[in-house]
């Protein structure tokens, strides 16, 4: 069985939004008990992050990503190369197991979408639930 | 068809454990011939790594991750921000194809779980095998 | 339903090849309308990248990865530790949703395989399409 849902979020530049509730709700609606849930960020400057949703930690993560791809650096791909690089390092897709109708996230694991672009943008996330 | 298995490992801080045998065994038990196997690390300071299991290479990888997130740095999220960042850079989920009942890993690819936390911990990994 | 395809590419060292057409073609052949497509790079010095296929951006990304794992550094795992580390940071597997028989890639998202090894190599990529 396959259940799919699309969510759209207006996001600030460098914004991170918690979508755990949306993903849990999609799993519930699917009525799938055992399987997997794939969460995919549409867009080459966005990413899906599974980690603790704690604002100070998110700041620390952004600073760490800035070491590899600082906003104020010289790039061949002008304007937003750093946004693309951060997206590539975190990744656009994550897949989470489902057992007994629930995501198997740990106590401190939230599902978040990041908009690494230099502008605010409407971001699209696709959630696919598959299984029995 | 869906087959799920949970494994638990007591792991040292910064430890990396090879679970290729566990994943292969789950695929065998599932009796699935064609499909995918998702391996998910529960916990926001752990990760699933697919690479060569060679202790000196693992040391090199840890040093590379320390460039982005050194243990001895100033973070807003005190105690273990570096552990969360390393987890985000490697990622909690990996999905491996199955053909003719076997994982399609290359000769030098092992499936490993990493505990990036500052303490030894019991780590949980969920393996989901889906297909025909 | 499960549909699987293997592609092989001869690739230069540090080369990146666009395989979006191959992945789209596999989805078409599968005739699956709703589900997921997993793309997996066989080999511990290769990776699957979903991002904009723009040569100057790819150069920027390589330079960013070189900050974590420069080719000319001292490693315990001699010869190609940097190749393995870059593979681990980008990752070997990506999973993309399928809706109405199409990948849900954004306008600027291409699927690419990277050969981070120090030699030219034949690289193998497995594409698995699952769903209804």
């Amino acid at each position: 069985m396959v259940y799919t849902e699309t969510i759209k979020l207006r996001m600030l530049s460098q914004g991170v939004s918690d979508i755990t509730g949306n993903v849990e709700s999609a799993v519930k609606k699917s009525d799938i008990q055992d399987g997997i849930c794939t969460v995919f960020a549409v867009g080459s400057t966005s990413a899906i992050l599974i980690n603790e949703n704690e604002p100070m930690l998110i700041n620390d993560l952004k600073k760490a990503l800035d070491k590899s791809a600082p906003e104020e650096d010289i790039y061949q791909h002008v304007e937003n190369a750093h946004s693309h690089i951060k997206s590539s390092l975190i990744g656009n897709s994550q897949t989470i197991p489902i057992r007994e109708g629930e995501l198997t996230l740990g106590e401190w694991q939230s599902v978040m979408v990041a908009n690494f672009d230099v502008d605010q943008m409407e971001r699209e996330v696709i959630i696919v639930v598959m299984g029995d």
Side-chain angles (χ1 to χ4, degrees), chain A residues 7-8 11 15 20 26 31 34-35 56 62 74 81 83 94 96 99 109 113-114 117:
Chain A
I7 58 174
K8 290 183 183 186
M11 295 186 67
T20 313
D31 208 29
D34 284 288
M56 292 194 292
K62 287 179 191 170
I74 294 165
S83 313
Q94 304 283 352
I96 309 157
R99 297 207 78 168
Q109 282 179 308
V113 53
D117 219 319

Side-chain angles (χ1 to χ4, degrees), chain A residues 5-33:
Chain A
E5 209 168 291
T6 301
I7 58 174
K8 290 183 183 186
L9 302 96
R10 179 140 295 278
M11 295 186 67
L12 296 177
S13 172
Q14 313 308 316
V16 171
S17 296
D18 196 315
I19 55 168
T20 313
N22 301 269
V23 181
E24 285 173 344
S25 152
V27 172
K28 281 272 169 298
K29 280 186 241 169
S30 77
D31 208 29
I32 286 168
Q33 298 301 302

Side-chain angles (χ1 to χ4, degrees), chain A residues 21-128:
Chain A
N22 301 269
V23 181
E24 285 173 344
S25 152
V27 172
K28 281 272 169 298
K29 280 186 241 169
S30 77
D31 208 29
I32 286 168
Q33 298 301 302
D34 284 288
I36 55 173
C37 177
T38 293
V39 186
F40 182 81
V42 178
S44 54
T45 56
S46 65
I48 301 295
L49 175 67
I50 299 179
N51 215 284
E52 184 177 347
N53 179 10
E54 196 277 287
M56 292 194 292
L57 176 62
I58 302 299
N59 288 343
D60 291 330
L61 174 64
K62 287 179 191 170
K63 272 190 199 161
L65 291 170
D66 277 335
K67 289 186 194 168
S68 294
E71 186 163 352
E72 305 299 332
D73 205 346
I74 294 165
Y75 296 101
Q76 292 184 38
H77 181 88
V78 288
E79 192 189 0
N80 68 351
H82 67 99
S83 313
H84 290 276
I85 294 165
K86 288 165 187 167
S87 163
S88 302
L89 291 173
I90 299 299
N92 286 78
S93 76
Q94 304 283 352
T95 298
I96 309 157
I98 298 164
R99 297 207 78 168
E100 299 177 10
E102 308 271 1
L103 295 165
T104 65
L105 293 170
E107 188 181 354
W108 306 104
Q109 282 179 308
S110 292
V111 186
M112 293 170 274
V113 53
N115 173 31
F116 289 122
D117 219 319
V118 290
D119 293 314
Q120 65 166 11
M121 292 189 79
E122 192 186 58
R123 285 305 187 182
E124 195 174 316
V125 174
I126 317 277
I127 303 165
V128 184

